[in-house]
Amino acid sequence: MNEASPIPAGETEPEEAPPPQQMARMKGDLTQGPILRTLLIFSIPMLISNVLQTLNGSVNAIWVGRLLGESALAATANANIIMFLLIALVFGFGMATTVRVGQHFGARDIDAARRTFGSGVGFCLLLSVICGLAGWLGADALLHALGTPGQSRIEALDYLRVIFVTLPLGSLSLMVSMGMRGAGDSKTPLHAMILTVALDVILNPLLIIGPGPLPTLGIAGSAAATAFANFAGLVFQLWTIYRKDLPMRLRGAELGYMIPRGNELRYVILKGLPMGAQMLLVSSAGLIMVGLVNREGLDSAAAYGASLQLWNYLQMPAMAIGSAVSAMVAQSLGAHDHARVGKVTEIGLVTNLALSTLLAAVIVVFDHPLLALFLGGDSPAMPIARHIQLVCTASFVIVSITMILTGTLRAYGAVVVPLIIMFLGLYPGRLGFYYLAYPLIGSEALWWAYPVGSALTVALTLAYYRWGKWRAAFDL
């Protein structure tokens, strides 16, 4: 670790590291104890949070579609594309903050962890305010660029402007959650997510239709419900942090840490940008695939849409375990326990493969009733959807290996090469295979592009993990 520097006037003195005999009792410590048990206890709340968030989006879409019609539903879909691009940036900076907080927390340098947490939160809050203002002013132009249908554009504009105005609330809530996870606490964000989802589901229809004394806000009511729910989740997290005096609380002069500056801000930006770019790559490749599938006709498009719904859930174990591995490895690095890093990665891989394979088997075996939830049992798209599941589902189990290894690489600060690998797997791999194979096998090229792209991504990631110099990226 770096030597201590003189403390500027007005700032609090860093807390001393607890004596060795007390280290095991530090709340949120992921560096000790049985690895599998720690991994599961930490990752399961994140898995539940992911499921709840996905279900919440589905329920809200049902409310909008049923109460306001297809035009409003299309409006929210167009607006959400724009919002995803912004959230991807915040998520990347949040992951960088999580890693750095974990490294400092593992080193028992609580003050440094708070400095990182404050810098990450302050920077993303400032960024979200700027984006919110720009989005409010440019929302109409963005929708026009997307080619939003005229009948949906007015509704999409109303929805999007509320989202942009309240963007800082969602960003702040996300950053607090990710900072808490870096300090080893995944339960508080889960409890906040439960509250957020419950309020969002209840308030959506109430603010859309405005029964009794409530105003009728239409599609803007859906956006307002989400914003209020996010605010409630944020307040709950902050209340819990200060009530329990959790490590990431900022008091007095420590509140100045929220002014973005110094090496911590530099780390958050330099590491966060490639992480956010990975999400943008996945999103852009997904949009291209949707366009290619749409060319094959309505039945193929419906079958693919239903399959995407199932694949969202299939990826959740790897996402949760990958995030848990990243936090555990970051803390182990901070504690200079490099021997534990390999064990965490290995156990994370085995656990992920077991859960992902089990879930994939359930999806394939019970594909008809699961797909019927979205298509109906007698839909002409059903045979196509079942075929897609047989060809593509295993590819998500394969690529889940990458998510776990990337979690370890991310904890070391190695983020550029994984971004390049992601690009190669999605574009030359998946889309390149499609364009080469389509003249030979037609629409089958769409589905086989998934396992081909996944195999390339995993092969490159394994090679980099085995022979790359990613360990040199670690600097604390």
Side-chain angles (χ1 to χ4, degrees):
M1 291 180 56
N2 299 329
E3 294 182 2
S5 58
I7 302 170
E11 292 196 5
T12 57
E13 185 173 345
E15 297 181 4
E16 295 182 359
Q21 64 271 22
Q22 293 182 6
M23 285 187 176
R25 295 196 293 270
M26 281 188 65
K27 188 174 182 61
D29 182 12
L30 304 175
T31 65
Q32 302 180 52
I35 292 176
L36 178 59
R37 180 175 181 273
T38 303
L39 181 72
L40 291 175
I41 289 176
F42 187 68
S43 62
I44 287 175
M46 288 192 289
L47 175 59
I48 297 173
S49 294
N50 291 339
V51 172
L52 286 175
Q53 196 166 25
T54 301
L55 287 173
N56 183 45
S58 300
V59 172
N60 286 350
I62 291 172
W63 281 128
V64 171
R66 293 291 179 87
L67 297 176
L68 297 175
E70 293 180 357
S71 175
L73 187 59
T76 61
N78 279 266
N80 286 335
I81 291 173
I82 297 172
M83 289 309 304
F84 181 85
L85 300 178
L86 297 175
I87 293 299
L89 280 177
V90 175
F91 185 84
F93 296 133
M95 284 304 306
T97 302
T98 299
V99 167
R100 198 62 164 177
V101 166
Q103 291 173 352
H104 288 313
F105 194 81
R108 307 304 196 265
D109 192 344
I110 303 301
D111 187 70
R114 288 173 180 164
R115 287 200 307 271
T116 298
F117 178 64
S119 289
V121 169
F123 174 69
C124 286
L125 183 59
L126 177 62
L127 180 65
S128 64
V129 169
I130 294 172
C131 289
L133 179 60
W136 169 271
L137 297 174
D140 191 43
L142 287 171
L143 292 171
H144 180 75
L146 278 176
T148 305
Q151 61 269 32
S152 297
R153 186 174 299 173
I154 295 176
E155 291 175 307
L157 185 60
D158 291 340
Y159 181 86
L160 198 54
R161 280 181 167 164
V162 175
I163 290 292
F164 273 124
V165 168
T166 58
L167 179 63
L169 292 178
S171 299
L172 188 57
S173 182
L174 176 63
M175 288 299 298
V176 171
S177 295
M178 300 187 81
M180 294 287 288
R181 288 166 181 157
D185 182 359
S186 60
K187 291 183 179 178
T188 299
L190 169 61
H191 297 155
M193 180 59 68
I194 292 173
L195 174 63
T196 299
V197 170
L199 286 175
D200 201 5
V201 169
I202 293 171
L203 291 176
N204 245 273
L206 294 179
L207 294 184
I208 288 173
I209 61 178
L214 294 177
T216 301
L217 300 178
I219 194 170
S222 178
T226 299
F228 182 85
N230 283 331
F231 176 71
L234 172 62
V235 169
F236 174 82
Q237 287 193 90
L238 294 176
W239 175 75
T240 302
I241 289 171
Y242 286 93
R243 181 176 66 87
K244 295 184 177 180
D245 196 31
L246 298 179
M248 290 303 98
R249 64 106 179 103
L250 301 177
R251 287 201 179 104
E254 294 172 336
L255 292 171
Y257 293 165
M258 290 189 65
I259 300 175
R261 60 192 171 198
N263 291 332
E264 301 302 338
L265 176 61
R266 189 176 301 111
Y267 184 94
V268 168
I269 294 176
L270 292 180
K271 305 300 182 182
L273 281 173
M275 295 183 198
Q278 286 191 38
M279 291 187 65
L280 295 179
L281 276 179
V282 172
S283 177
S284 62
L287 288 174
I288 293 173
M289 287 298 292
V290 168
L292 295 175
V293 171
N294 287 342
R295 296 180 184 178
E296 302 301 320
L298 180 60
D299 289 342
S300 292
Y304 185 69
S307 297
L308 285 175
Q309 293 291 330
L310 299 183
W311 294 339
N312 285 337
Y313 292 96
L314 178 56
Q315 296 175 84
M316 287 181 183
M319 293 171 60
I321 295 173
S323 295
V325 166
S326 187
M328 292 177 68
V329 170
Q331 287 199 17
S332 296
L333 290 175
H336 301 288
D337 187 357
H338 292 268
R340 186 175 173 90
V341 169
K343 296 177 183 177
V344 169
T345 305
E346 291 172 6
I347 292 175
L349 281 170
V350 173
T351 305
N352 160 69
L353 285 174
L355 292 176
S356 296
T357 301
L358 177 61
L359 187 54
V362 170
I363 288 175
V364 172
V365 171
F366 298 100
D367 60 346
H368 191 280
L370 291 173
L371 292 166
L373 294 173
F374 306 99
L375 298 173
D378 299 326
S379 170
M382 180 63 73
I384 300 174
R386 298 186 72 180
H387 176 66
I388 293 174
Q389 292 301 312
L390 286 175
V391 174
C392 299
T393 299
S395 67
F396 289 92
V397 177
I398 296 171
V399 85
S400 70
I401 296 172
T402 298
M403 296 185 187
I404 308 305
L405 296 180
T406 300
T408 296
L409 299 174
R410 188 167 56 221
Y412 273 83
V415 292
V416 175
V417 174
L419 173 63
I420 295 172
I421 291 174
M422 180 71 71
F423 171 79
L424 293 175
L426 290 174
Y427 283 86
R430 182 192 295 178
L431 295 173
F433 172 85
Y434 164 80
Y435 285 110
L436 290 174
Y438 189 81
L440 302 175
I441 58 177
S443 62
E444 283 295 300
L446 285 166
W447 324 132
W448 285 102
Y450 274 93
V452 170
S454 297
L456 176 61
T457 301
V458 172
L460 292 174
T461 304
L462 285 170
Y464 181 59
Y465 183 81
R466 173 65 178 82
W467 293 292
K469 297 181 179 180
W470 47 271
R471 292 174 181 84
F474 174 61
D475 177 29
L476 182 61

PDB file of all heavy atoms in Angstrom, residues 352-374:
ATOM      1  N   ASN A 352     -21.216 -21.832 -10.826  1.00  0.00           N
ATOM      2  CA  ASN A 352     -21.943 -21.247 -11.950  1.00  0.00           C
ATOM      3  C   ASN A 352     -22.351 -22.300 -12.963  1.00  0.00           C
ATOM      4  O   ASN A 352     -23.506 -22.319 -13.430  1.00  0.00           O
ATOM      5  CB  ASN A 352     -21.078 -20.189 -12.624  1.00  0.00           C
ATOM      6  CG  ASN A 352     -21.538 -19.897 -14.040  1.00  0.00           C
ATOM      7  OD1 ASN A 352     -22.600 -19.328 -14.267  1.00  0.00           O
ATOM      8  ND2 ASN A 352     -20.751 -20.338 -15.012  1.00  0.00           N
ATOM      9  N   LEU A 353     -21.405 -23.184 -13.335  1.00  0.00           N
ATOM     10  CA  LEU A 353     -21.727 -24.212 -14.329  1.00  0.00           C
ATOM     11  C   LEU A 353     -22.816 -25.148 -13.829  1.00  0.00           C
ATOM     12  O   LEU A 353     -23.695 -25.557 -14.600  1.00  0.00           O
ATOM     13  CB  LEU A 353     -20.464 -24.993 -14.694  1.00  0.00           C
ATOM     14  CG  LEU A 353     -19.473 -24.249 -15.601  1.00  0.00           C
ATOM     15  CD1 LEU A 353     -18.192 -25.061 -15.764  1.00  0.00           C
ATOM     16  CD2 LEU A 353     -20.096 -23.966 -16.962  1.00  0.00           C
ATOM     17  N   ALA A 354     -22.788 -25.471 -12.535  1.00  0.00           N
ATOM     18  CA  ALA A 354     -23.814 -26.353 -11.983  1.00  0.00           C
ATOM     19  C   ALA A 354     -25.193 -25.691 -12.064  1.00  0.00           C
ATOM     20  O   ALA A 354     -26.168 -26.307 -12.526  1.00  0.00           O
ATOM     21  CB  ALA A 354     -23.473 -26.705 -10.540  1.00  0.00           C
ATOM     22  N   LEU A 355     -25.284 -24.437 -11.626  1.00  0.00           N
ATOM     23  CA  LEU A 355     -26.578 -23.747 -11.622  1.00  0.00           C
ATOM     24  C   LEU A 355     -27.059 -23.438 -13.034  1.00  0.00           C
ATOM     25  O   LEU A 355     -28.234 -23.632 -13.358  1.00  0.00           O
ATOM     26  CB  LEU A 355     -26.465 -22.451 -10.810  1.00  0.00           C
ATOM     27  CG  LEU A 355     -26.254 -22.608  -9.307  1.00  0.00           C
ATOM     28  CD1 LEU A 355     -26.067 -21.249  -8.645  1.00  0.00           C
ATOM     29  CD2 LEU A 355     -27.429 -23.343  -8.670  1.00  0.00           C
ATOM     30  N   SER A 356     -26.151 -22.953 -13.891  1.00  0.00           N
ATOM     31  CA  SER A 356     -26.543 -22.597 -15.256  1.00  0.00           C
ATOM     32  C   SER A 356     -26.953 -23.828 -16.057  1.00  0.00           C
ATOM     33  O   SER A 356     -27.920 -23.785 -16.828  1.00  0.00           O
ATOM     34  CB  SER A 356     -25.389 -21.874 -15.968  1.00  0.00           C
ATOM     35  OG  SER A 356     -25.097 -20.652 -15.341  1.00  0.00           O
ATOM     36  N   THR A 357     -26.238 -24.938 -15.879  1.00  0.00           N
ATOM     37  CA  THR A 357     -26.586 -26.169 -16.592  1.00  0.00           C
ATOM     38  C   THR A 357     -27.941 -26.690 -16.136  1.00  0.00           C
ATOM     39  O   THR A 357     -28.762 -27.127 -16.954  1.00  0.00           O
ATOM     40  CB  THR A 357     -25.510 -27.245 -16.361  1.00  0.00           C
ATOM     41  OG1 THR A 357     -24.244 -26.750 -16.818  1.00  0.00           O
ATOM     42  CG2 THR A 357     -25.857 -28.523 -17.103  1.00  0.00           C
ATOM     43  N   LEU A 358     -28.189 -26.635 -14.826  1.00  0.00           N
ATOM     44  CA  LEU A 358     -29.479 -27.082 -14.303  1.00  0.00           C
ATOM     45  C   LEU A 358     -30.619 -26.240 -14.857  1.00  0.00           C
ATOM     46  O   LEU A 358     -31.639 -26.773 -15.311  1.00  0.00           O
ATOM     47  CB  LEU A 358     -29.464 -27.016 -12.772  1.00  0.00           C
ATOM     48  CG  LEU A 358     -30.776 -27.378 -12.062  1.00  0.00           C
ATOM     49  CD1 LEU A 358     -31.177 -28.826 -12.369  1.00  0.00           C
ATOM     50  CD2 LEU A 358     -30.651 -27.166 -10.556  1.00  0.00           C
ATOM     51  N   LEU A 359     -30.431 -24.926 -14.853  1.00  0.00           N
ATOM     52  CA  LEU A 359     -31.482 -24.041 -15.358  1.00  0.00           C
ATOM     53  C   LEU A 359     -31.683 -24.225 -16.855  1.00  0.00           C
ATOM     54  O   LEU A 359     -32.821 -24.227 -17.348  1.00  0.00           O
ATOM     55  CB  LEU A 359     -31.112 -22.587 -15.048  1.00  0.00           C
ATOM     56  CG  LEU A 359     -32.162 -21.522 -15.342  1.00  0.00           C
ATOM     57  CD1 LEU A 359     -33.484 -21.841 -14.668  1.00  0.00           C
ATOM     58  CD2 LEU A 359     -31.656 -20.148 -14.890  1.00  0.00           C
ATOM     59  N   ALA A 360     -30.597 -24.422 -17.595  1.00  0.00           N
ATOM     60  CA  ALA A 360     -30.709 -24.660 -19.040  1.00  0.00           C
ATOM     61  C   ALA A 360     -31.468 -25.954 -19.314  1.00  0.00           C
ATOM     62  O   ALA A 360     -32.287 -26.018 -20.249  1.00  0.00           O
ATOM     63  CB  ALA A 360     -29.323 -24.711 -19.666  1.00  0.00           C
ATOM     64  N   ALA A 361     -31.202 -26.987 -18.526  1.00  0.00           N
ATOM     65  CA  ALA A 361     -31.902 -28.265 -18.700  1.00  0.00           C
ATOM     66  C   ALA A 361     -33.399 -28.104 -18.460  1.00  0.00           C
ATOM     67  O   ALA A 361     -34.230 -28.657 -19.199  1.00  0.00           O
ATOM     68  CB  ALA A 361     -31.318 -29.310 -17.757  1.00  0.00           C
ATOM     69  N   VAL A 362     -33.753 -27.329 -17.440  1.00  0.00           N
ATOM     70  CA  VAL A 362     -35.170 -27.082 -17.152  1.00  0.00           C
ATOM     71  C   VAL A 362     -35.828 -26.363 -18.323  1.00  0.00           C
ATOM     72  O   VAL A 362     -36.948 -26.700 -18.744  1.00  0.00           O
ATOM     73  CB  VAL A 362     -35.317 -26.256 -15.853  1.00  0.00           C
ATOM     74  CG1 VAL A 362     -36.759 -25.789 -15.676  1.00  0.00           C
ATOM     75  CG2 VAL A 362     -34.878 -27.079 -14.650  1.00  0.00           C
ATOM     76  N   ILE A 363     -35.135 -25.366 -18.883  1.00  0.00           N
ATOM     77  CA  ILE A 363     -35.689 -24.594 -19.998  1.00  0.00           C
ATOM     78  C   ILE A 363     -35.900 -25.473 -21.224  1.00  0.00           C
ATOM     79  O   ILE A 363     -36.923 -25.371 -21.918  1.00  0.00           O
ATOM     80  CB  ILE A 363     -34.760 -23.408 -20.324  1.00  0.00           C
ATOM     81  CG1 ILE A 363     -34.863 -22.354 -19.229  1.00  0.00           C
ATOM     82  CG2 ILE A 363     -35.117 -22.798 -21.681  1.00  0.00           C
ATOM     83  CD1 ILE A 363     -33.897 -21.200 -19.396  1.00  0.00           C
ATOM     84  N   VAL A 364     -34.938 -26.365 -21.514  1.00  0.00           N
ATOM     85  CA  VAL A 364     -35.049 -27.223 -22.694  1.00  0.00           C
ATOM     86  C   VAL A 364     -36.119 -28.301 -22.499  1.00  0.00           C
ATOM     87  O   VAL A 364     -36.930 -28.566 -23.391  1.00  0.00           O
ATOM     88  CB  VAL A 364     -33.686 -27.863 -23.026  1.00  0.00           C
ATOM     89  CG1 VAL A 364     -33.836 -28.914 -24.119  1.00  0.00           C
ATOM     90  CG2 VAL A 364     -32.690 -26.789 -23.463  1.00  0.00           C
ATOM     91  N   VAL A 365     -36.136 -28.917 -21.321  1.00  0.00           N
ATOM     92  CA  VAL A 365     -37.092 -30.005 -21.055  1.00  0.00           C
ATOM     93  C   VAL A 365     -38.517 -29.470 -21.017  1.00  0.00           C
ATOM     94  O   VAL A 365     -39.456 -30.101 -21.530  1.00  0.00           O
ATOM     95  CB  VAL A 365     -36.739 -30.726 -19.737  1.00  0.00           C
ATOM     96  CG1 VAL A 365     -37.849 -31.704 -19.361  1.00  0.00           C
ATOM     97  CG2 VAL A 365     -35.409 -31.452 -19.882  1.00  0.00           C
ATOM     98  N   PHE A 366     -38.703 -28.302 -20.410  1.00  0.00           N
ATOM     99  CA  PHE A 366     -40.050 -27.739 -20.279  1.00  0.00           C
ATOM    100  C   PHE A 366     -40.237 -26.545 -21.221  1.00  0.00           C
ATOM    101  O   PHE A 366     -40.921 -25.577 -20.889  1.00  0.00           O
ATOM    102  CB  PHE A 366     -40.293 -27.306 -18.829  1.00  0.00           C
ATOM    103  CG  PHE A 366     -40.224 -28.429 -17.840  1.00  0.00           C
ATOM    104  CD1 PHE A 366     -39.071 -28.638 -17.080  1.00  0.00           C
ATOM    105  CD2 PHE A 366     -41.294 -29.296 -17.680  1.00  0.00           C
ATOM    106  CE1 PHE A 366     -39.000 -29.686 -16.170  1.00  0.00           C
ATOM    107  CE2 PHE A 366     -41.230 -30.344 -16.763  1.00  0.00           C
ATOM    108  CZ  PHE A 366     -40.079 -30.540 -16.020  1.00  0.00           C
ATOM    109  N   ASP A 367     -39.629 -26.633 -22.392  1.00  0.00           N
ATOM    110  CA  ASP A 367     -39.660 -25.500 -23.310  1.00  0.00           C
ATOM    111  C   ASP A 367     -41.077 -25.141 -23.766  1.00  0.00           C
ATOM    112  O   ASP A 367     -41.426 -23.963 -23.876  1.00  0.00           O
ATOM    113  CB  ASP A 367     -38.754 -25.750 -24.510  1.00  0.00           C
ATOM    114  CG  ASP A 367     -39.149 -26.982 -25.309  1.00  0.00           C
ATOM    115  OD1 ASP A 367     -39.945 -27.799 -24.797  1.00  0.00           O
ATOM    116  OD2 ASP A 367     -38.638 -27.145 -26.441  1.00  0.00           O
ATOM    117  N   HIS A 368     -41.913 -26.153 -24.015  1.00  0.00           N
ATOM    118  CA  HIS A 368     -43.245 -25.865 -24.538  1.00  0.00           C
ATOM    119  C   HIS A 368     -44.092 -25.061 -23.554  1.00  0.00           C
ATOM    120  O   HIS A 368     -44.623 -23.993 -23.921  1.00  0.00           O
ATOM    121  CB  HIS A 368     -43.965 -27.157 -24.931  1.00  0.00           C
ATOM    122  CG  HIS A 368     -45.224 -26.914 -25.715  1.00  0.00           C
ATOM    123  ND1 HIS A 368     -46.416 -26.554 -25.119  1.00  0.00           N
ATOM    124  CD2 HIS A 368     -45.484 -26.953 -27.057  1.00  0.00           C
ATOM    125  CE1 HIS A 368     -47.343 -26.398 -26.032  1.00  0.00           C
ATOM    126  NE2 HIS A 368     -46.803 -26.635 -27.221  1.00  0.00           N
ATOM    127  N   PRO A 369     -44.267 -25.502 -22.299  1.00  0.00           N
ATOM    128  CA  PRO A 369     -45.083 -24.688 -21.382  1.00  0.00           C
ATOM    129  C   PRO A 369     -44.456 -23.326 -21.077  1.00  0.00           C
ATOM    130  O   PRO A 369     -45.182 -22.341 -20.888  1.00  0.00           O
ATOM    131  CB  PRO A 369     -45.174 -25.553 -20.116  1.00  0.00           C
ATOM    132  CG  PRO A 369     -44.067 -26.537 -20.225  1.00  0.00           C
ATOM    133  CD  PRO A 369     -43.866 -26.776 -21.675  1.00  0.00           C
ATOM    134  N   LEU A 370     -43.127 -23.256 -21.036  1.00  0.00           N
ATOM    135  CA  LEU A 370     -42.478 -21.967 -20.752  1.00  0.00           C
ATOM    136  C   LEU A 370     -42.667 -20.997 -21.915  1.00  0.00           C
ATOM    137  O   LEU A 370     -42.995 -19.823 -21.711  1.00  0.00           O
ATOM    138  CB  LEU A 370     -40.987 -22.176 -20.475  1.00  0.00           C
ATOM    139  CG  LEU A 370     -40.653 -22.892 -19.163  1.00  0.00           C
ATOM    140  CD1 LEU A 370     -39.166 -23.199 -19.079  1.00  0.00           C
ATOM    141  CD2 LEU A 370     -41.086 -22.044 -17.966  1.00  0.00           C
ATOM    142  N   LEU A 371     -42.462 -21.470 -23.127  1.00  0.00           N
ATOM    143  CA  LEU A 371     -42.649 -20.607 -24.294  1.00  0.00           C
ATOM    144  C   LEU A 371     -44.108 -20.237 -24.503  1.00  0.00           C
ATOM    145  O   LEU A 371     -44.420 -19.160 -25.014  1.00  0.00           O
ATOM    146  CB  LEU A 371     -42.100 -21.299 -25.547  1.00  0.00           C
ATOM    147  CG  LEU A 371     -40.585 -21.469 -25.602  1.00  0.00           C
ATOM    148  CD1 LEU A 371     -40.201 -22.454 -26.703  1.00  0.00           C
ATOM    149  CD2 LEU A 371     -39.905 -20.117 -25.838  1.00  0.00           C
ATOM    150  N   ALA A 372     -45.002 -21.139 -24.078  1.00  0.00           N
ATOM    151  CA  ALA A 372     -46.439 -20.868 -24.225  1.00  0.00           C
ATOM    152  C   ALA A 372     -46.878 -19.677 -23.382  1.00  0.00           C
ATOM    153  O   ALA A 372     -47.898 -19.043 -23.677  1.00  0.00           O
ATOM    154  CB  ALA A 372     -47.246 -22.105 -23.835  1.00  0.00           C
ATOM    155  N   LEU A 373     -46.118 -19.348 -22.326  1.00  0.00           N
ATOM    156  CA  LEU A 373     -46.442 -18.172 -21.520  1.00  0.00           C
ATOM    157  C   LEU A 373     -46.394 -16.902 -22.365  1.00  0.00           C
ATOM    158  O   LEU A 373     -47.121 -15.936 -22.088  1.00  0.00           O
ATOM    159  CB  LEU A 373     -45.458 -18.057 -20.351  1.00  0.00           C
ATOM    160  CG  LEU A 373     -45.517 -19.153 -19.285  1.00  0.00           C
ATOM    161  CD1 LEU A 373     -44.369 -18.978 -18.292  1.00  0.00           C
ATOM    162  CD2 LEU A 373     -46.854 -19.120 -18.549  1.00  0.00           C
ATOM    163  N   PHE A 374     -45.567 -16.903 -23.377  1.00  0.00           N
ATOM    164  CA  PHE A 374     -45.385 -15.715 -24.212  1.00  0.00           C
ATOM    165  C   PHE A 374     -46.050 -15.852 -25.582  1.00  0.00           C
ATOM    166  O   PHE A 374     -46.487 -14.854 -26.168  1.00  0.00           O
ATOM    167  CB  PHE A 374     -43.888 -15.441 -24.411  1.00  0.00           C
ATOM    168  CG  PHE A 374     -43.114 -15.350 -23.131  1.00  0.00           C
ATOM    169  CD1 PHE A 374     -42.386 -16.439 -22.670  1.00  0.00           C
ATOM    170  CD2 PHE A 374     -43.130 -14.192 -22.378  1.00  0.00           C
ATOM    171  CE1 PHE A 374     -41.670 -16.360 -21.486  1.00  0.00           C
ATOM    172  CE2 PHE A 374     -42.420 -14.107 -21.193  1.00  0.00           C
ATOM    173  CZ  PHE A 374     -41.689 -15.191 -20.743  1.00  0.00           C
TER     174      PHE A 374
END
